[in-house]
Amino acid sequence: MTYDDQDYLRRLPLLDRVLIGSEELSLRVQQLGNEIGRDYPDSTPLLVCILKGAYVFLADLARCLSVDHEVDFMAVSSYEGGTQSTGVVKIVKDLRANITNRDVILVEDIVDSGLTLSYLIDLLATRSPRSIRVCALLDKTAAREKDVRVDYRGFEIPKEFVVGYGLDYDEKYRNLPFIGVLKP
Ligand code: IMP
Ligand code: MG
């Protein structure tokens, strides 16, 4: 944990603790970037950022990639301001890119029940991409309701509600440089 991380902890009374510090995050994101770079030496994968939660992760991940790639954005909502999945996935913003014959990498902040990703994978598969893979920073495997294959996984975490590094609670805490846990 850096001094900056500790400073945030002191200033935010609702925050319980740091789960993954900013240095640990950046090391792991670099490793994921290296892995992806190795797997796509001669294609130009399309990184699809699942908004809003994945925007911080995508920005850092893209800067760790040494292979050509493109980015696009998709916004879905499955949570209505709380901490429980409703199981209903709504496409709020669709892709601009045509993904036919493209290698697609879905970039997610966190896989929880798996409902969002499995819905998205099924939807995008109907558009005939060459491949679809998933890159998720965090994975709560113990919370899985729907099986999804996570090809690139940053960290497996316990079934706790986390915030920071793009993840929010009621639209707050996205700017934290670390992954933290709120007080119960
Ligand atoms: P799933 O459909 O249950 O897998 O949920 C996926 C989405 O729920 C993620 O993309 C997040 O936006 C949100 N989510 C799940 N767990 C958390 C959490 O612990 N903190 C913040 N958002 C979460
Ligand atoms: Mg999300």
Side-chain angles (χ1 to χ4, degrees), residues 148-159:
V148 274
R149 199 185 69 231
V150 179
D151 303 278
Y152 307 98
R153 174 188 289 114
F155 301 89
E156 183 169 341
I157 62 164
K159 227 173 133 175

Side-chain angles (χ1 to χ4, degrees), residues 72-165:
D72 201 351
F73 299 87
M74 203 162 180
V76 300
S77 81
S78 57
Y79 279 38
E80 233 74 289
T83 60
Q84 287 298 304
S85 176
T86 58
V88 180
V89 180
K90 197 169 77 192
I91 303 290
V92 179
K93 183 212 167 298
D94 206 338
L95 294 175
R96 287 185 75 160
N98 177 354
I99 60 168
T100 304
N101 290 324
R102 296 291 307 265
D103 289 313
V104 174
I105 304 175
L106 292 180
V107 179
E108 251 293 26
D109 49 1
I110 186 166
V111 190
D112 186 17
S113 68
L115 292 169
T116 308
L117 262 183
S118 70
Y119 176 87
L120 279 179
I121 292 168
D122 290 350
L123 174 77
L124 296 182
T126 64
R127 302 179 187 177
S128 311
R130 187 190 301 147
S131 66
I132 303 182
R133 282 187 181 172
V134 171
C135 175
L137 179 70
L138 306 174
D139 192 348
K140 286 188 203 170
T141 39
R144 202 69 98 251
E145 290 169 34
K146 198 111 196 214
D147 230 13
V148 274
R149 199 185 69 231
V150 179
D151 303 278
Y152 307 98
R153 174 188 289 114
F155 301 89
E156 183 169 341
I157 62 164
K159 227 173 133 175
E160 278 182 296
F161 195 80
V162 293
V163 295
Y165 201 73

Side-chain angles (χ1 to χ4, degrees), residues 2-19:
T2 62
Y3 176 76
D4 202 33
D5 293 355
Q6 278 165 353
D7 204 41
Y8 271 106
L9 259 188
R10 270 196 296 275
R11 282 184 327 201
L12 296 170
L14 297 182
L15 214 59
D16 188 41
R17 65 185 198 278
V18 173
L19 186 66

